[in-house]
Amino acid sequence: MNKNTKITYLFALVIAVILLGVPASEADSGNQCLKAVVDDISPSSVGIDEEFTVGISIESCGNTVPDNITFEIVSSPPDIVITENLVTHFPKFVYSSSERQLVYHMRTTPDAKPGPHIIKMKLTYGNDAKWVSYYDVEVRVIGEHAEPRISFVRTNPEYIYEGDSVDLSLGIENFGKAIAKSVGVSLNHEFKGIKNTTIGTLGLNGSQTALFKFKANRSGTFEIPVIINYEDDYGIQRDNYSIAINVLDKKGSLNLASVKVNPVLPQVGETVELTMRIENSGERTINSVRVYADHPFKGLKESFIGTLDSNEDGPAVITFIANQSGEYDIPVTITYSDDFGEEQIQTNINIIVLKSESGAGTAAIVLLILAIIGGLIYINYRTKKSKDKIIKQLMEGRGNSDKNEKQ
């Protein structure tokens, strides 16, 4: 035997050992040979939470009757449940050409993940020499995708103005072929308010409404990213969408409807009653309305109104003593509360306080007006008296004429 022939022989021997398995002892096992063959996986496409079977044939491939045969399932994925015993023992085959069929009933769990699942098996046989072979059986689990999408967008109020508190409703509908579990919706907006909500499970063709609330603190058109997180047959998923929100220029829902000063032109030392009517021209009820007038006089500066419903107004009355004359531009702050905390509106009112010395001039004007009114009354009186006299004379003249005619 030359050198090349020896190398070829050794190479063939190594290949034979790999194919037949590694003996546990060096004792001669004769011509025993066994192999395991996967006959059938039924159904071939295994769904989630579904029963299926795996058929295994143990076949003899040698001339000697194999004995002391053990076939076992070494390991299986956690989302596949096997109902049969994992270890099966055959003392001996009857004939060298005998076969044995094994059927394993299995089931995928409700949370089984789609994709390939490997079940590891082991075949052992022989008395004096133990021959071991390992097998991998692949079971492919199929699943479906869920597809939660935005079906509608609604806001209350429908037309949003800067400063409005907004209720935003997003319809989320499942257009996929699998249940969407643990559905959560997030809005990546720039406003103060609610950005995340959970709606739970969406069945096939199921729909729910995700509710949000925010304060539209500035005007403009905003492209708001919407993120929908959920879980389907293939695990945790994340879908990205967007919605557009238009916020119009500021529309004050609270405004100063009227201002009344009593007296109209107060003098130094007089007590002044300042009445401001605050109107809610918006569509929502506004709470804790109070008015603060930052005047320089002695007296009250703040008045509490309370709650104003839509299109309702209320008076804020502030009383003070006008202890100095002049023209005053008084800052007025209207404070109120809504769902997002405290808000403020700034405005100004003008008040003129006269000096007390100007009373004589005012009195003179009043006397002059009274004199004019008195003169008009006197003239009217004189005119009326003159008319009465003329009428009387005419009546008397007519009477004398009638008397003369009779004579």
Side-chain angles (χ1 to χ4, degrees), residues 272 294-301 320-326 328 330 351-353:
V272 180
D294 192 16
H295 60 73
F297 310 116
K298 295 180 180 179
L300 299 176
K301 292 189 176 184
F320 58 86
I321 298 174
N323 55 355
Q324 49 186 327
S325 63
Y328 300 92
I330 299 175
I351 292 179
I352 298 175
V353 179

Side-chain angles (χ1 to χ4, degrees), residues 254-358:
L254 276 187
N255 57 79
L256 191 59
S258 65
V259 178
K260 179 181 179 183
V261 182
N262 187 26
V264 177
L265 291 174
Q267 296 181 14
V268 173
E270 286 188 324
T271 299
V272 180
E273 186 178 81
L274 173 63
T275 303
M276 294 171 283
R277 297 202 70 86
I278 309 301
E279 181 184 24
N280 178 11
S281 58
E283 300 177 355
R284 296 174 179 270
T285 298
I286 295 178
N287 302 311
S288 302
V289 180
R290 62 183 185 272
V291 180
Y292 182 84
D294 192 16
H295 60 73
F297 310 116
K298 295 180 180 179
L300 299 176
K301 292 189 176 184
E302 188 173 43
S303 178
F304 184 77
I305 296 177
T307 299
L308 290 177
D309 293 327
S310 177
N311 297 318
E312 182 183 15
D313 63 78
V317 181
I318 293 176
T319 304
F320 58 86
I321 298 174
N323 55 355
Q324 49 186 327
S325 63
E327 183 176 354
Y328 300 92
D329 197 33
I330 299 175
V332 175
T333 302
I334 305 171
T335 306
Y336 64 95
S337 297
D338 60 12
D339 296 332
F340 296 93
E342 191 173 85
E343 300 290 340
Q344 290 185 345
I345 297 173
Q346 304 285 343
T347 187
N348 291 78
I349 61 172
N350 186 269
I351 292 179
I352 298 175
V353 179
L354 302 176
K355 295 180 180 180
S356 58
E357 290 79 10
S358 63

Side-chain angles (χ1 to χ4, degrees), residues 122-351:
K122 181 175 74 171
L123 174 63
T124 305
Y125 61 95
N127 283 325
D128 298 330
K130 292 290 186 180
W131 290 81
V132 180
S133 298
Y134 293 93
Y135 302 90
D136 290 343
V137 176
E138 181 180 295
V139 175
R140 185 167 292 274
V141 179
I142 61 172
E144 298 290 350
H145 282 290
E147 193 177 348
R149 299 203 306 255
I150 300 172
S151 57
F152 66 79
V153 179
R154 297 194 186 105
T155 62
N156 183 24
E158 181 179 359
Y159 299 101
I160 305 170
Y161 287 86
E162 181 182 352
D164 281 347
S165 295
V166 182
D167 292 323
L168 173 63
S169 301
L170 295 183
I172 308 297
E173 186 173 351
N174 184 9
F175 292 89
K177 297 181 179 180
I179 296 173
K181 295 173 285 187
S182 303
V183 181
V185 185
S186 300
L187 296 184
N188 190 18
H189 60 69
E190 305 173 10
F191 308 117
K192 180 169 63 175
I194 298 173
K195 294 186 177 183
N196 302 287
T197 188
T198 301
I199 60 177
T201 299
L202 283 176
L204 301 181
N205 300 316
S207 63
Q208 292 194 45
T209 302
L211 302 176
F212 301 89
K213 183 183 287 286
F214 63 89
K215 181 83 170 198
N217 56 1
R218 61 191 183 94
S219 61
T221 299
F222 301 90
E223 194 78 14
I224 300 177
V226 180
I227 302 169
I228 303 178
N229 295 294
Y230 61 97
E231 187 176 353
D232 62 8
D233 293 347
Y234 289 88
I236 297 175
Q237 307 292 332
R238 176 190 177 101
D239 293 342
N240 296 290
Y241 302 95
S242 66
I243 59 173
I245 296 293
N246 291 316
V247 180
L248 304 176
D249 288 337
K250 187 173 183 179
K251 176 196 72 173
S253 57
L254 276 187
N255 57 79
L256 191 59
S258 65
V259 178
K260 179 181 179 183
V261 182
N262 187 26
V264 177
L265 291 174
Q267 296 181 14
V268 173
E270 286 188 324
T271 299
V272 180
E273 186 178 81
L274 173 63
T275 303
M276 294 171 283
R277 297 202 70 86
I278 309 301
E279 181 184 24
N280 178 11
S281 58
E283 300 177 355
R284 296 174 179 270
T285 298
I286 295 178
N287 302 311
S288 302
V289 180
R290 62 183 185 272
V291 180
Y292 182 84
D294 192 16
H295 60 73
F297 310 116
K298 295 180 180 179
L300 299 176
K301 292 189 176 184
E302 188 173 43
S303 178
F304 184 77
I305 296 177
T307 299
L308 290 177
D309 293 327
S310 177
N311 297 318
E312 182 183 15
D313 63 78
V317 181
I318 293 176
T319 304
F320 58 86
I321 298 174
N323 55 355
Q324 49 186 327
S325 63
E327 183 176 354
Y328 300 92
D329 197 33
I330 299 175
V332 175
T333 302
I334 305 171
T335 306
Y336 64 95
S337 297
D338 60 12
D339 296 332
F340 296 93
E342 191 173 85
E343 300 290 340
Q344 290 185 345
I345 297 173
Q346 304 285 343
T347 187
N348 291 78
I349 61 172
N350 186 269
I351 292 179

Side-chain angles (χ1 to χ4, degrees), residues 67-72 85-93 100 102 104 124-127 130:
D67 53 13
N68 198 20
I69 304 163
T70 301
F71 186 80
E72 62 180 305
N85 292 328
L86 301 183
V87 180
T88 303
H89 181 69
F90 304 101
K92 191 174 183 178
F93 276 8
R100 293 290 186 273
L102 299 175
Y104 292 93
T124 305
Y125 61 95
N127 283 325
K130 292 290 186 180

